[in-house]
Amino acid sequence: MTGRALARIAAAVVAVLLSAGAAADAGAADPAETARILRHGPWPMPWRPDPGNRLSGDAAAAALGRALFADPRLSADGSVACATCHRPDLHWTDGRPRSAGLAAGDRNAPSLVDVRRWRWFGWDGASDSLWAASLRPVLDPREMGGSIAALAGLVRGDPVLAGLYRQALGRAPLADDTALAVDAAKALAAFQETLASGRSPFDRFRDGLAAGDADAVSAYPADARRGLALFVGRGNCSVCHLGPAFTSGEFEDVGVGYFLERGRVDPGRADGIARLKASPFNRLGPWGDGGGADAAATRHVASQPRDFGLFKVPSLRNVARTAPYMHHGRLATLEAVVRHYSEVDEERLHPGRARLVRPLRLSEGEAADLVAFLRSLTSDER
Amino acid sequence: MGAAPRNLLAGLLLVATPAGPGSAGELPIVDAHIHYSADAWEMLPPEDAVRLLREAGIRRAFVSSSSDDGTQKLLAAAPDLIVPVLRPYRRRGELSTWMHDPAIVAHLEDRLARFRYAGMGEFHVYGGDADLPVVRRMVELARGHGLFLHAHSDAAAVERLFAQDPDARILWAHSGFDGPGNVRTMLERHPRLWCDLAFRSDHAPGGRLDPEWRALLEDFPDRFMLGTDTFAPERWHSVGRHAAWSRGWLAELAPPLAERIAWRNAEALAGAAGAGR
């Protein structure tokens, strides 16, 4: 698109805002802002299978993964399935502040929608592949408390699962426990790869902006449009919640506390890197299918003092469906999230680097606009 | 501060100066960049904070807090461990406004009359703001009480602070987050400038010393010290990790230099404050 075309569209947006009586500031639709908006699309983005998972993108493997995902026998006492904390009816979360498997957990269950796109998995990035991230909770004593041997034994011994395995892998379940459990984890990943979000009102606005479609642009609610201007402008939100997926995929400190109780904190990324490096199931290990060629990030990531208390930047697509919020689920609503950013204690944030998060001091109307924008990221499908 | 409290601080530092490795044979550390602000007190009572420092092998900690009551709580709990430093902040939230608030001067004068300190800071000031009247008065008070200045500043502000008091001793927080070239320039220009390495890791990416930083540390063996920076209270639980991480890259240096950076330089700076100038 030429600069002149962008300018024409920007002018059209200004006209729409003025006609709607919008309170957006005069510079809200300048070419620079328009360019920032366009960078949040198009959606959906192309996706390529994970080179570290030979079952990635395979429908038969996804069928096995779907069955495993709902099966509570993966847990030590048969009471907890993956779907316990990632419920299909709750946008693949559990709606609780902090999840509980066999024991109470410390973190909020993130949605699995669009999970195929991430580089790091979990709030602390302790896994570098979706299949390894799928195996982790199975083995965690507080979550499912399972074991490699038990998982392998289940797939090997259950006729339905063994049949699905044969269809996916073209052979009988392996005799080696670890190899078979890894196959099961890769099938779990193949299933979760199918959980993809669709298009939202924001996407239609954004594409209308790109195409010069005045009808599509004007159909976008005025409050969401004002909130979008804040999001890509004064709010600085799009620095971390960037691109079509509305996330950098990396880790940040946004000024939320991470004490768990007296004497205990959640170290976030600092521990995540340590666990990633120690895991035999990372991309540098023998169980991936990428031969190490897909492991550059894992090879080079190193824990630094500043990683303490950092948590993953979540995608904002369908964020209205994934309450409560933050790694510990302590913010119950989107309104509370916006209030947090409006009033954030800036002394909790280190001022040494270019500070991304500052108290936005939003008016009531501005806060409502920002929430309206976030709700406009809700895709059409349920 | 009168002569008696100052001598008291000097005596305290003398008694508590570490003579060598800690009890576990590990390199002792003086952490020159610790805060114990109000939001830490409930989840991290003084006894917990002191325990975290001792478990990390921290033999002394430069502590400044918002409010200063936090520093006094820790000092009361562990007088052998805590080196009190006075912030020009009465509470959290004054980091970017204090230099415009004349009431800060009265706050500093009040605390200086009632308590003893080794330094003034950590304060945040940049560029021309360092010449504002409140900042100037703070520098005068530091000079009058023989205190070092712990400045979270850019190089321009450090220059202005030295212009106000060429004899000041300035501990440059985070080494100004400047690159090694600029840090070298500042150290060459100002013999009474020290640098803490808090909340930065570019000198030891991946836990291994960067060659340019290594040369800087070796060329200025008396000027660098360590710090964790507990700007959020949860970060107290990273003090041990930070100490371990620091010992890792310090082990690449000759032991005498490692000791200087780990604790001797900080002890010297605090000791000079306690002894006056």
Side-chain angles (χ1 to χ4, degrees):
Chain A
M1 178 176 292
T2 66
R4 183 175 296 176
L6 281 172
R8 275 203 305 272
I9 293 167
V13 172
V14 169
V16 167
L17 292 175
L18 291 176
S19 66
D25 61 60
D30 65 25
E33 185 202 58
T34 300
R36 289 196 293 273
I37 293 170
L38 294 181
R39 284 198 284 269
H40 289 294
W43 189 263
M45 297 164 63
W47 172 76
R48 286 181 301 179
D50 175 6
N53 178 2
R54 68 185 184 284
L55 302 182
S56 178
D58 182 272
L64 172 60
R66 179 188 296 274
L68 289 166
F69 191 86
D71 196 329
R73 293 177 295 171
L74 269 63
S75 64
D77 67 356
S79 68
V80 181
C82 304
T84 302
C85 297
H86 299 285
R87 290 171 44 176
D89 61 321
L90 291 176
H91 206 66
W92 307 90
T93 68
D94 61 5
R96 303 165 57 123
R98 288 167 297 287
S99 294
L102 295 179
D106 294 326
R107 293 179 181 160
N108 176 260
S111 173
L112 298 179
V113 177
D114 298 325
V115 70
R116 65 186 182 181
R117 298 187 180 280
W118 314 144
R119 170 188 287 175
W120 311 117
F121 298 83
W123 286 105
D124 61 4
S127 302
D128 60 358
S129 73
L130 183 51
W131 73 261
S134 303
L135 191 55
R136 188 202 58 73
V138 174
L139 305 180
D140 188 320
R142 292 201 303 169
E143 296 189 46
M144 299 169 79
S147 69
I148 292 289
L151 176 57
L154 177 67
V155 174
R156 201 180 290 127
D158 181 90
V160 173
L161 294 176
L164 289 170
Y165 182 94
R166 279 193 199 88
Q167 289 176 28
L169 278 298
R171 63 176 184 236
L174 296 170
D176 181 274
D177 281 352
T178 305
L180 182 51
V182 167
D183 280 346
K186 290 175 178 174
L188 277 165
F191 164 62
Q192 293 164 83
E193 288 168 353
T194 66
L195 308 177
S197 63
R199 288 167 56 74
S200 67
F202 165 78
D203 295 309
R204 289 190 286 277
F205 167 78
R206 181 262 170 212
D207 291 353
L209 200 58
D213 180 345
D215 290 341
V217 169
S218 62
Y220 194 52
D223 54 356
R225 178 64 187 86
R226 293 191 299 270
L228 171 59
L230 277 169
F231 187 88
V232 300
R234 177 160 66 91
N236 238 7
C237 316
S238 57
V239 174
C240 295
H241 293 285
L242 58 87
F246 287 88
T247 177
S248 65
E250 293 297 326
F251 303 83
E252 294 292 343
D253 177 1
V254 294
V256 298
Y258 46 100
F259 269 120
L260 296 169
E261 57 191 328
R262 177 177 169 181
R264 205 161 70 89
V265 300
D266 185 340
R269 185 58 170 151
D271 268 10
I273 291 174
R275 292 200 290 156
L276 170 70
K277 291 285 196 179
S279 172
F281 302 114
N282 68 31
R283 289 187 188 271
L284 295 168
W287 300 104
D289 300 318
D294 58 338
T298 305
R299 187 174 293 113
H300 294 296
V301 71
S303 186
Q304 302 175 3
R306 73 176 302 273
D307 292 319
F308 197 83
L310 303 190
F311 296 91
K312 191 165 175 226
V313 177
S315 170
L316 297 181
R317 288 194 171 270
N318 287 295
V319 68
R321 290 177 170 151
T322 63
Y325 302 104
M326 302 299 182
H327 72 276
H328 45 34
R330 289 182 195 161
L331 300 182
T333 63
L334 283 178
E335 286 77 6
V337 173
V338 168
R339 195 178 311 121
H340 166 79
Y341 286 106
S342 184
E343 301 168 359
V344 64
D345 175 1
E346 57 186 327
E347 290 193 26
R348 279 197 59 93
L349 301 159
H350 201 273
R353 301 292 190 191
R355 187 186 290 170
L356 300 177
V357 179
R358 294 176 182 277
L360 297 178
R361 312 290 182 214
L362 299 172
S363 69
E364 204 170 300
E366 288 173 326
D369 289 342
L370 204 43
V371 171
F373 163 66
L374 294 171
R375 293 191 188 284
S376 81
L377 298 173
T378 306
S379 54
D380 302 326
E381 84 290 343
R382 286 296 306 182
Chain B
M1 177 163 51
R6 186 179 301 169
N7 290 341
L8 180 68
L9 178 59
L12 185 149
L13 290 165
L14 188 64
V15 167
T17 296
S23 58
E26 63 190 7
L27 185 64
I29 284 176
V30 173
D31 194 314
H33 199 134
I34 290 284
H35 307 298
Y36 186 61
S37 295
D39 56 353
W41 303 345
E42 181 182 346
M43 294 295 270
L44 191 82
E47 60 269 31
D48 290 13
V50 168
R51 179 177 50 77
L52 288 174
L53 292 173
R54 295 201 194 282
E55 286 176 354
I58 304 299
R59 302 296 292 267
R60 197 104 62 234
F62 290 14
V63 179
S64 60
S65 310
S66 311
S67 75
D68 184 59
D69 289 349
T71 299
Q72 302 308 324
K73 288 172 190 280
L74 283 192
L75 184 61
D80 62 311
L81 186 62
I82 304 303
V83 177
V85 181
L86 175 60
R87 297 193 102 166
Y89 310 155
R90 294 158 298 187
R91 62 187 73 86
R92 286 178 77 92
E94 295 188 325
L95 182 152
S96 55
T97 58
W98 70 278
M99 70 289 288
H100 303 291
D101 184 353
I104 291 296
V105 172
H107 162 71
L108 293 174
E109 290 172 341
D110 172 62
R111 302 302 287 197
L112 288 168
R114 293 162 56 197
F115 303 105
R116 59 189 174 80
Y117 300 95
M120 189 88 83
E122 178 202 19
F123 55 83
H124 300 72
V125 71
Y126 306 95
D129 280 357
D131 282 334
L132 289 169
V134 173
V135 183
R136 286 182 170 277
R137 180 59 183 149
M138 179 191 68
V139 172
E140 287 176 4
L141 287 169
R143 179 170 54 209
H145 289 77
L147 309 181
F148 67 81
L149 296 166
H150 194 184
H152 184 133
S153 299
D154 54 8
V158 171
E159 295 285 5
R160 288 168 187 264
L161 295 171
F162 273 125
Q164 292 169 38
D165 180 8
D167 293 328
R169 290 185 312 279
I170 296 179
L171 173 56
W172 199 12
H174 316 287
S175 307
F177 284 121
D178 234 326
N182 288 341
V183 174
R184 176 181 291 276
T185 299
M186 290 294 286
L187 288 171
E188 287 171 343
R189 188 178 299 161
H190 299 292
R192 296 170 75 84
L193 179 66
W194 286 261
C195 297
D196 82 39
L197 295 165
F199 203 63
R200 61 184 304 164
S201 54
D202 54 327
H203 56 291
R208 303 283 301 176
L209 267 175
D210 170 81
E212 192 174 359
W213 272 100
R214 181 189 185 111
L216 188 59
L217 299 176
E218 289 174 341
D219 290 347
F220 296 90
D222 299 325
R223 307 282 206 93
F224 287 95
M225 58 193 73
L226 306 176
T228 299
D229 194 353
T230 51
F231 59 88
E234 293 90 340
R235 287 183 59 80
W236 273 86
H237 288 273
S238 74
V239 169
R241 294 169 188 248
H242 188 270
W245 178 80
S246 299
R247 289 186 183 101
W249 60 261
L250 285 169
E252 296 180 46
L253 298 169
L257 176 56
E259 282 190 2
R260 285 178 171 181
I261 296 169
W263 63 273
R264 289 187 187 279
N265 293 342
E267 289 287 353
L269 181 63
R277 303 191 287 185

